[in-house]
Each structure stands twice: as C-alpha cells, then as structure tokens.
Amino acid sequence: MEQYETERLSAAQLAAMRRSLTNGRGALSRRSLLRVSGAGALAVGGAGILSGCGIPPAKRESGAADSDDHSDKEKQLTFSNWTEYMDTSEDGKSRPTLEAFTKRTGIKVKYTEDINDNVEFFGKIQPQLAAGQDTGRDLINVTDWLAARIIRLGWAQKLDPSLLPHAYANLSSQFRTVDWDPGRAYSYPWTGIPCVIAYNSKATRGRKVDSVTQLLDDPALKGRVGFLTEMRDSVGMTLLDMGKDPGKFTDADYDAAVGRLQKGVDKKQIRRFTGNDYTSDLAKGDIAACLAWAGDVIQLQADNPDIKYAIPAAGYVTATDNLLVPAEARHRKNATRLIDYYYELPVAAQLAAYINYVCPVAGVGAELAKIDPELAKNPLIIPDEAMAAKSHSFRSLSSKEETAYEEKFAKLIGA
C-alpha cells in the first residue's frame, strides 16, 4: 500500500487552530460564518491524529467499483452538515428541500447536524477513513482546506459526472477552478465565504474605505484599523493589494506581504488583529475599518445603517464549504444525486434564501427574486459578474509551508 508523508502538527499550526477555535471563524455562530479556516489543524484532543502512533496510515484508492455501491437496492443516504445550514420550515419541524427530494426520488435522507467545526468533525471520521471503513456517512460538508486534504489522502470518492448534469452546467465560474480538486472531480461547493472590507461610515465621517492600501496608509484611520487573525484572509488580501495572486504566490511574496503588515503594526496604523470580536468594535466605531467576513456584514447592516462594505479593486479572498462523498460510503450514487439536486435553480434559490451565504449556483438570481427580491440584489449572496471576477482562492500549502507561514504570521500578530 502506498503511504503518504506524516503530518504532525507543528506548534505554529496548533496555535493557529486555537486562535480560530477561540475567536476566529471557528468560534462564530452559523449565521456568522462558523468555520475553522485554519491551517491544517486536523485534530482536537489528540494532536497528530494522522500519525499518533508514528506510523502513517495508508493512502487508499479514491475510486470505488459500482458493486460496492448499494444505492440501487437501498434508497437512502446519510448527510452530515453544519448547524443552521439547511432550509427549515417556520415551525422548525421539517426541511422542505430535503423532503421534496425524497418525494421526487424515493431516497430517504438521514440528515444530521453533527459538524460543529472542521477539526472536531475530522477527529470523528478519521479513524474509519484511515482503516478503510465506512464512516456511516454518504455525504459530508467541510471547508476547502480540509476537503483538499481528504481528497489528497485518497479518502473521497470520485463523483460520477453523468449524475451531475445540473451541477456541471450551473456551477458558477467563480468556483470552477481550485488547485486542490482540478475539474471538481471529487467536490462541489455548498457556499462561498468572502473576506471583504467593512467600515463604519460614521467613524470615517462619511469617507469610503475600499482598499488594503487605505487601511494601511490612510492617516485618518490610524489606530482604528483591524485585520484578521486568520492568516489566509489577512495575508491573502494584502497579497492581492500588492498585485500578487494568492493562488500562485512565492515565499518571497509571502514575506513581502507580512513585512507590509508589520509596518502597519510598527507605525500603529493597525489597532489589532481580531477574530470575530471585530464586530462589536466596528459597530461602536472603535474600529473605523477592517477586514471582515461577508456573513457578518449582512448581520451588522441589519442592525446598524452606518456599516458599509467595499470590494477592493484588487480583489478579495473567498473560502468555500464543499460536499464530498467519503471513501467506502455505501450510497455514492444517491449522495451524488443529492449534490446535483441542490444545483437546480429553484432548489438553490430556496436554500440561499434561508442561509444567506454566497450561492455557488450561476443563474439563481431570478429564482431567488421570486422568494426575496432584496436578497437577490445582494452581491454578498449573489455576486454579480464584476464581483465574481475579483474572487481569489488562497492556494494549497504543503505541511512545511504551512508551518513556516504560520510561524511568521504568529510573530506578526503577537500570538
């Protein structure tokens, strides 16, 4: 059996994980972008879960023979998802889109909200994946960095494109190309998670803030600027402002971006690096402008008309949550059919209207407008072509790169 390199967590990786869980994406509520974006943190309560005994588990073949799939005889599937990440009836007793899928196909869906963060969830399923066993789940939804590792380790099943006509046709161009899953052979995105610039127009006296350059160099903002403790967001946005692609940068580019942020710290332009706690400071005006997650902006604007946002001309960084079929899942075809179902325009619109995240389904705007015209106009949910063209993904990192980059970033933010 082919083996892959061991991936023990470095001190820097563990520190990044703890930051994310304490007050970063991983500490947020569902409606405020609950994520562990972090950085290869693959274990909680057992660091080094991939190599705890010093013997790396074998990489498994990610394909599966049709004879291994029981979908034709067993009209069912089990779907693990995050909390509040599925449309629900007003009385909270039913899930309309899932029930409609079952009514149409006869496939019963056991839907479980058992993902609280990526790290914890991976700890649940890793032993079975490493041993080549069924996890008991046919479909899972994990953030891009973890999806990339599961695919690389051979622990996801390749999807049958013949069962994905709607997904293939309707996947937004913004999400079609990712370095960790070329051609979307193993995954399809559930939602996008943009990092944008937010500002309090009262605190800026009506001035618009729309670039990282302005955040770092505008003297009117000195001491009232916030960046994020999530390395991929803060460094990625800075790279873009410097004319570098976060999907293709070099070590020298990374060092230059960190150096630029360090100057902002040294001259006290940056007030602090924050997790989700920037929201209260921004609402009060203690932070005049900052990097922010789009889901937070939507919430903040509902309560405070002074909160504005801007998409930098240089572009912005977007992460994704992604649907995967785990290795050895019993119902691959059924799960794949469910993925395709959520790329049908009316279904995608119904989901987007409930969860209010970036919808990865192109052409969904007209259907969403039938449900809520205002949501259909919101580019933080339905990016227009201009906004979608500015979206960039942070490239996959090797374990060595991740350790080095997190160490440098931790020193920058004083972690």
Side-chain angles (χ1 to χ4, degrees), residues 57-84:
K59 179 173 180 177
R60 304 188 62 82
E61 288 299 323
S62 51
D66 288 340
S67 60
D68 296 330
D69 191 84
H70 300 264
S71 294
D72 293 338
K73 294 181 178 179
E74 299 174 2
K75 295 294 184 179
Q76 64 188 60
L77 70 95
T78 299
F79 180 9
S80 286
N81 205 352
W82 302 79
T83 58
E84 295 188 44

Side-chain angles (χ1 to χ4, degrees), residues 21-62:
L21 286 171
T22 302
N23 69 347
R25 286 181 184 161
L28 304 178
S29 69
R30 259 342 284 159
R31 295 294 178 136
S32 301
L33 297 174
L34 173 83
R35 297 292 184 282
V36 177
S37 72
L42 293 182
V44 165
I49 191 169
L50 291 178
S51 54
C53 298
I55 303 174
K59 179 173 180 177
R60 304 188 62 82
E61 288 299 323
S62 51

